[in-house]
Amino acid sequence: MGDFLKRIMSRNLRWVIGLGCLLPLCCTLLVGTISGVVFSVIRNSDVASQAIEIIQEDPRVRDQLGEPVNIGWFLTGSIEVSGNSGSANLVIPVSGPRASGSVSVDATLSGDEWRYDSMRFSLDGEEDFVDIAKR
């Protein structure tokens, strides 16, 4: 059996090396695609879209970041919806010409409407925050 494997390996070494290099690449592409889909679903959800609108309109955020207020692509967190109720916990990266930071969002769904329990904006590297959900 050992000689058989040696003969196959020597004849097909290029294929073995090629497949050995291709497999990690395919796995990386698969993980990247799945991650992109997940981030896209979170970003395009109702709760995130409404939160982004509130963030971009808040004068305190605009004052600290400068204009325009840009929203980062990689929103993280979780959204759970069951029927007409649910909850969401998100972290939304934000930046502007002057600074960058993030907004932590806690929201609950009741009926068709998201209620923002807290939206804590803080600059990167700072512990102080402003709750922009409470105006």
Side-chain angles (χ1 to χ4, degrees):
M1 188 67 152
D3 290 334
F4 176 73
L5 281 176
K6 285 181 186 177
R7 279 195 315 249
I8 289 186
M9 290 291 288
S10 66
R11 290 183 192 163
N12 299 307
L13 186 59
R14 291 182 189 162
W15 285 100
V16 171
I17 292 173
L19 289 175
C21 292
L22 191 60
L23 184 61
L25 177 63
C26 289
C27 290
T28 302
L29 288 174
L30 179 64
V31 169
T33 301
I34 291 171
S35 298
V37 167
V38 169
F39 287 125
S40 178
V41 166
I42 290 174
R43 185 180 176 90
N44 293 324
S45 66
D46 287 342
V47 65
S49 296
Q50 292 169 9
I52 289 169
E53 192 173 305
I54 292 168
I55 292 165
Q56 290 179 321
E57 291 176 0
D58 192 279
R60 296 166 292 180
V61 174
R62 291 193 317 240
D63 183 51
Q64 290 191 25
L65 297 179
E67 292 190 58
V69 173
N70 300 310
I71 305 299
W73 179 251
F74 297 109
L75 280 67
T76 58
S78 64
I79 301 170
E80 297 179 24
V81 176
S82 177
N84 61 352
S85 65
S87 64
N89 303 95
L90 304 172
V91 176
I92 302 172
V94 293
S95 64
R98 290 189 209 127
S100 61
S102 62
V103 179
S104 298
V105 177
D106 293 318
T108 53
L109 177 65
S110 180
D112 292 338
E113 191 172 319
W114 284 99
R115 184 183 78 236
Y116 294 90
D117 304 316
S118 73
M119 293 179 73
R120 296 178 172 183
F121 164 66
S122 62
L123 294 173
D124 287 343
E126 293 191 15
E127 292 183 25
D128 294 336
F129 65 87
V130 175
D131 195 344
I132 59 177
K134 306 208 182 333
R135 299 177 189 198

